Amino acid sequence: MVGAVMYPLSGTADLSRIEAPVTFKAYLLCGFAAFGGIFFGYDTGWMSGVLGMPYFITLYTGLQYNYETGEPVDVPKTEFALPSSQKSLMTSILSCGTFFGALIAGDVADFLGRRPTIIIGCLVFCVGCILEIISTNQEVLFVMGRLVSGVGVGFISAVIILYMAEVAPRKVRGALVSGYQFCITLGILLANCVTYASSNRNDTGSYRIPVGVQFLWAIILGIGLFILPESPRYYVMKGKIDLAAKSLSQVRGQPLDSDYIKDELAEIVANHEYEMQVIPQTSYIGSWMACFQGSLRKGNSNLRRTLLGSGMQMMQQLTGINFIFYFGTTFFQQLGTIQNPFFISLVTTLVNVLSTPISFVAVEKLGRRVLLNWGGVGMVITQFIVAIVGVTEGRPEAQNDAAVKVMIAFICIYIFCFASTWGPVGWVIIGECFPLPIRSRGVGISTACNWFWNCIIAVITPYMVGNTPGSANLGPRVFFIWGSLCIGSTIFAYFLVPEMKGLTLEQIDTMMEETTPRKSRNWKPTSTFASQMGRVRDEKSSANQQEFAPEVEP
């Protein structure tokens, strides 16, 4: 509680001094934290490739494959695949684990801290990987490993965003959090490279190598987080202002007695005091229910913020992007018009990786709303083009190579539109929109929503595009569905997502209270929380007074 503060805190009414200048250290710190996206991306990418591997298909179906000719034995090439039910279960069970992991992570992050929660996630993830590796044709053991790995990924995916949003400087917060999405795309690319290299192996190494590589990401992130400082806002929430000052000086690269550290810390504490008056802490159940308090008509109500964060993650998933990265390889195989599905999947992931860094600059120069709105329009257009070409000249019986190339090209353009807009900005928004008292739970709920819809898509998609009995066999017609859902995503962004560019997390609270999403771009802060809560120091006499100089606990 804030009432536990032992030292007098005084801040400034000068809006230009409520945060320290951006240092290279801040870039490195957040850049390393973003490495957690590798887990998300790599786990998404390797499953797509493994589901299309001849050895893996033979292992679970008994269908034989001739590695010399590169053709299945006694079955058509389009029917050499895992049943839709198996693909659905093996893919979606990870998202089931991440859903619960993300929800649990909110509590653990508030109890133990942001860093320990991520480290625990790495350990849980490693246990899941071991179960996946030791399975051979034991579907139950493989699925259990996916479930346990999912819990670990849920911990990491929820708390990494929380940690980065709380330590990143406001002027580059969007760009640095976008780095998390870039690491996701990099993870997908690395997974596709590994599965492409091992896809034609005639032994268990074909799928065990891609699974085993994941240990490397867990080791790097887990060890690195022992070095990084804890979030200063976590310490403020716990009333440990001395440790908050030390942590803030580390993440800002400023001396402990710097006026910048005093001013920013005073602003964080003053905002927390204000939020605690609005959101009183009651029971454990009450702390969760606080996320759903207020009216939908009030832009700064907790309910509105929770629906904003959860809605962003739902709409991000309903763009259909994970259809490409979960089932792209098997989908391209079933089309019957693409010669090397593994290579095309590699190309789509490369486009994903190269497109994401554009958001590093665009999210701070153009803003969140511009990227979401125009990115949504681009995805709608490209997906409908893919669908229209696919049901006309792109059909297998049409034998039209040019039409197939057009489909691949517009799938790549669609990925570009997502990777440079909705991909990174979806994570930026949920890290920014919650006040400190409910931030960990709000981010946890939003991330869990991402994984919930991720799970739904992973469950139903094999039945939508599969050609086995009981499947809809939509083929390229599925892009009509994704394009229509992208229309809904664009409408959501236009009417409900406010512009948060260039604001501190504390100023965002005020902005959401005073304006509407469509007018938020023109909103400017007029005062600091330190001045509102009576924590402004006398600038003239401050030089002659002994200011806050905490003795840091060993």
Side-chain angles (χ1 to χ4, degrees):
M1 293 177 60
V2 176
V5 176
M6 298 176 59
Y7 304 98
L9 285 169
S10 55
T12 179
D14 185 353
L15 289 167
S16 65
R17 291 187 57 83
I18 58 174
E19 189 173 85
V22 180
T23 62
F24 184 64
K25 184 176 181 179
Y27 284 109
L28 290 179
L29 190 150
C30 290
F32 182 81
F35 185 81
I38 291 282
F39 285 83
F40 186 165
Y42 190 89
D43 218 63
T44 300
W46 74 257
M47 198 63 206
S48 171
V50 166
L51 290 177
M53 287 182 177
Y55 184 86
F56 195 77
I57 294 172
T58 299
L59 193 65
Y60 282 93
T61 65
L63 299 175
Q64 297 302 307
Y65 188 83
N66 189 324
Y67 288 87
E68 294 182 0
T69 62
E71 297 287 340
V73 178
D74 297 332
V75 292
K77 199 169 185 178
T78 55
E79 295 180 14
F80 183 73
L82 292 170
S84 298
S85 58
Q86 266 187 322
K87 287 193 288 187
S88 173
L89 177 61
M90 289 180 174
T91 305
S92 64
I93 197 66
L94 175 89
S95 301
C96 179
T98 51
F99 172 79
F100 291 106
L103 287 178
I104 297 169
D107 277 339
V108 180
D110 274 354
F111 183 69
L112 296 178
R114 286 34 169 164
R115 284 193 317 148
T117 304
I118 299 171
I119 293 171
I120 291 171
C122 292
L123 295 175
V124 173
F125 179 80
C126 287
V127 173
C129 288
I130 292 172
L131 294 177
E132 290 172 315
I133 287 176
I134 63 176
S135 68
T136 49
N137 61 344
Q138 301 148 300
E139 185 175 354
V140 173
L141 189 58
F142 186 84
V143 167
M144 182 58 68
R146 292 280 289 167
L147 180 65
V148 174
S149 293
V151 174
V153 174
F155 269 52
I156 296 164
S157 62
V159 184
I160 281 286
I161 292 297
L162 175 64
Y163 179 79
M164 292 180 67
E166 289 188 341
V167 303
R170 59 173 172 164
K171 294 181 180 178
V172 292
R173 185 178 59 244
L176 291 175
V177 176
S178 295
Y180 176 76
Q181 175 66 21
F182 176 69
C183 285
I184 291 176
T185 66
L186 191 59
I188 296 173
L189 176 63
L190 290 172
N192 275 270
C193 290
V194 175
T195 54
Y196 183 71
S198 66
S199 60
N200 289 319
R201 289 177 64 104
N202 187 15
D203 55 35
T204 58
S206 59
Y207 70 92
R208 282 176 171 166
I209 290 173
V211 175
V213 169
Q214 295 177 109
F215 284 109
L216 181 62
W217 318 138
I219 292 169
I220 293 173
L221 184 64
I223 293 176
L225 280 165
F226 279 104
I227 303 171
L228 298 184
E230 181 56 88
S231 164
R233 287 177 169 87
Y234 166 74
Y235 284 134
V236 167
M237 186 177 66
K238 291 295 186 180
K240 300 178 180 180
I241 305 304
D242 50 354
L243 295 178
K246 179 184 177 182
S247 178
L248 191 60
S249 70
Q250 290 176 321
V251 300
R252 294 291 181 259
Q254 298 286 334
L256 191 60
D257 59 353
S258 165
D259 282 344
Y260 283 116
I261 299 302
K262 298 174 188 176
D263 292 341
E264 184 172 356
L265 188 58
E267 183 72 0
I268 294 171
V269 171
N271 172 259
H272 187 51
E273 289 177 337
Y274 171 79
E275 294 291 352
M276 290 295 285
Q277 294 173 4
V278 179
I279 314 172
Q281 299 298 292
T282 55
S283 63
Y284 173 77
I285 300 297
S287 65
W288 276 100
M289 294 306 296
C291 296
F292 303 96
Q293 290 177 350
S295 169
L296 281 176
R297 295 184 178 181
K298 293 184 178 181
N300 70 325
S301 73
N302 291 347
L303 176 60
R304 181 76 172 265
R305 294 168 191 259
T306 301
L307 292 180
L308 170 61
S310 301
M312 273 300 304
Q313 292 300 298
M314 178 183 74
M315 294 300 177
Q316 186 195 65
Q317 288 302 304
L318 292 181
T319 60
I321 192 66
N322 278 334
F323 163 69
I324 299 295
F325 298 124
Y326 275 147
F327 303 106
T329 303
T330 54
F331 173 71
F332 293 142
Q333 287 174 335
Q334 290 169 0
L335 285 179
T337 56
I338 295 176
Q339 296 298 320
N340 194 335
F342 280 93
F343 179 72
I344 298 301
S345 293
L346 190 59
V347 170
T348 58
T349 54
L350 185 61
V351 171
N352 196 25
V353 171
L354 296 178
S355 303
T356 303
I358 295 173
S359 66
F360 296 176
V361 177
V363 73
E364 300 298 354
K365 294 295 184 181
L366 302 178
R368 283 66 162 156
R369 282 178 56 82
V370 171
L371 292 187
L372 291 175
N373 291 330
W374 286 106
V377 170
M379 288 190 291
V380 170
I381 294 172
T382 52
Q383 297 221 48
F384 278 120
I385 290 176
V386 172
I388 292 169
V389 174
V391 299
T392 54
E393 293 300 314
R395 293 173 294 119
E397 53 269 27
Q399 299 281 318
N400 191 330
D401 290 341
V404 173
K405 292 177 181 178
V406 168
M407 290 175 64
I408 294 172
F410 275 94
I411 287 175
C412 290
I413 296 172
Y414 151 65
I415 293 171
F416 166 81
C417 292
F418 174 87
S420 57
T421 60
W422 273 83
V425 178
W427 296 108
V428 173
I429 295 296
I430 69 167
E432 295 178 330
C433 68
F434 295 101
L436 183 56
I438 66 166
R439 185 170 295 141
S440 64
R441 288 179 170 85
V443 173
I445 291 171
S446 300
T447 308
C449 187
N450 175 292
W451 289 110
F452 173 79
W453 286 100
N454 195 308
C455 181
I456 295 297
I457 290 171
V459 168
I460 66 174
T461 299
Y463 295 100
M464 293 168 64
V465 299
N467 53 12
T468 57
S471 298
N473 196 18
L474 293 178
R477 288 173 292 176
V478 74
F479 284 95
F480 282 121
I481 297 175
W482 303 133
S484 300
L485 291 171
C486 281
I487 295 175
S489 299
T490 307
I491 293 172
F492 176 90
Y494 181 77
F495 286 103
L496 297 177
V497 179
E499 183 55 71
M500 305 177 190
K501 180 186 73 169
L503 303 177
T504 66
L505 296 179
E506 289 68 38
Q507 289 171 344
I508 289 171
D509 293 343
T510 306
M511 178 271 292
M512 295 183 73
E513 182 177 357
E514 295 181 352
T515 189
T516 62
R518 283 186 290 170
K519 297 179 181 179
S520 59
R521 187 176 183 84
N522 298 320
W523 184 88
K524 302 295 181 185
T526 57
S527 64
T528 65
F529 273 98
S531 63
Q532 293 178 34
M533 301 301 291
R535 287 191 174 275
V536 178
R537 67 174 177 270
D538 185 348
E539 300 288 350
K540 294 182 180 179
S541 61
S542 62
N544 300 320
Q545 296 177 354
Q546 184 175 357
E547 293 285 346
F548 161 61
E551 296 180 5
V552 180
E553 296 178 5

